[in-house]
Amino acid sequence: MNLSRHSHSKINWEEKREHLGKIRMMYTLFAVQLIIALIWASFAISYRDPFGNGIETYWWVALITGIICLLVLLALYFVPRLRKMPLSMVMYIVFTLCFMYTVGYFCVLDDTYLVYYALWLLTAIAIGFAIYAWAAPNGMSSMIAMVVVLFSCLLVFLVFLIFTSVSFIGLSLVLLVVLIFGFYLHYDVRKMVRGGVNDYNVEDPWAGAVTIWGDGLLVFFRFFELLGRACCKTSD
């Protein structure tokens, strides 16, 4: 009996370790995705003539890459086979490259630099999550996730506030929106892995790093729907 109990405990530990590894991989892939997009956008903004201007001129390329991003998201939601290796890796690479170009286009197009600022905020959150996920032996609690989001966003906010001429109101509004997404990001990853470190039905991290964008958009749609209902009740 002791041998059986020891064997069962060993299996649980190995499953838990594999589970945590997939969570860390998902955070890492999400961070890599944003880092690539940030590097591309920074290069396009820094070398606006002729590189950035070329991206802005050929707007139809950004339209195509944006449509591909949407199609990849839908495919991952409705075709379960694509959420398994190696197809999930291929979908991640395609989405990351198209996402990079599309976000770079909007960063070049936006003269207020708020899109570029939002990209910095998201990248800081993703990097913070990835670093802590690898450092923490037992995953990330909701309280720690809130601290990581707040610290990462406030750091970027202060840098932009001090070293750029972007309006304070614009910085604050974008900060609020990204904070909401950042808080949801941790919750959504926990939902993807079915709620905790002791549940081993984990979504493929390559697919999860892509579908998290679709889940985030659904949160904002739901938020505005609730806000609209509250306004309608108030007016009545």
Side-chain angles (χ1 to χ4, degrees):
M1 182 178 293
N2 290 335
L3 182 61
S4 176
R5 186 177 302 173
H6 176 73
S7 177
H8 180 69
S9 176
K10 183 178 179 180
I11 292 174
N12 283 342
W13 167 248
E14 290 177 351
E15 289 177 338
K16 183 177 180 180
R17 184 175 60 182
E18 180 183 358
H19 172 87
L20 287 171
K22 289 183 178 180
I23 295 177
R24 290 164 178 164
M25 187 66 174
M26 188 182 298
Y27 279 129
T28 303
L29 290 171
F30 184 69
V32 168
Q33 194 177 83
L34 284 163
I35 290 171
I36 291 174
L38 181 60
I39 292 173
W40 172 264
S42 300
F43 187 77
I45 292 174
S46 300
Y47 298 95
R48 186 161 187 119
D49 188 17
F51 186 71
N53 290 334
I55 294 177
E56 186 176 356
T57 300
Y58 297 103
W59 57 268
W60 52 270
V61 179
L63 177 62
I64 292 174
T65 56
I67 292 174
I68 292 174
C69 285
L70 180 60
L71 292 176
V72 169
L73 266 176
L74 293 175
L76 286 172
Y77 273 116
F78 296 108
V79 186
R81 184 181 302 177
L82 296 176
R83 296 197 295 267
K84 298 179 181 179
M85 287 288 287
L87 292 177
S88 61
M89 182 187 295
V90 174
M91 300 299 282
Y92 171 84
I93 293 173
V94 172
F95 181 87
T96 299
L97 294 176
C98 293
F99 176 80
M100 170 195 77
Y101 193 94
T102 305
V103 170
Y105 169 78
F106 284 110
C107 287
V108 171
L109 191 67
D110 178 32
D111 293 331
T112 65
Y113 291 99
L114 289 177
V115 176
Y116 185 58
Y117 164 63
L119 182 58
W120 266 103
L121 289 173
L122 288 171
T123 305
I125 292 174
I127 292 174
F129 278 169
I131 291 175
Y132 192 87
W134 284 99
N138 295 314
M140 188 188 314
S141 65
S142 297
M143 183 60 67
I144 293 296
M146 292 179 63
V147 172
V148 170
V149 171
L150 284 172
F151 178 79
S152 303
C153 286
L154 288 177
L155 181 62
V156 175
F157 173 78
L158 290 175
V159 170
F160 270 77
L161 185 63
I162 295 171
F163 296 104
T164 70
S165 58
V166 183
S167 68
F168 175 79
I169 295 177
L171 291 175
S172 301
L173 290 175
V174 173
L175 175 67
L176 179 61
V177 173
V178 175
L179 280 174
I180 295 173
F181 182 82
F183 292 145
Y184 173 76
L185 176 62
H186 172 69
Y187 164 78
D188 193 50
V189 170
R190 291 175 67 89
K191 185 185 70 175
M192 284 181 179
V193 297
R194 305 299 189 267
V197 294
N198 294 316
D199 193 330
Y200 308 114
N201 187 17
V202 185
E203 179 171 339
D204 179 84
W206 295 88
V210 175
T211 56
I212 199 169
W213 289 105
D215 295 337
L217 290 175
L218 291 176
V219 166
F220 282 106
F221 289 146
R222 180 60 176 166
F223 173 77
F224 288 120
E225 179 186 349
L226 294 174
L227 187 63
R229 289 181 179 177
C231 293
C232 291
K233 289 181 180 178
T234 303
S235 60
D236 292 340

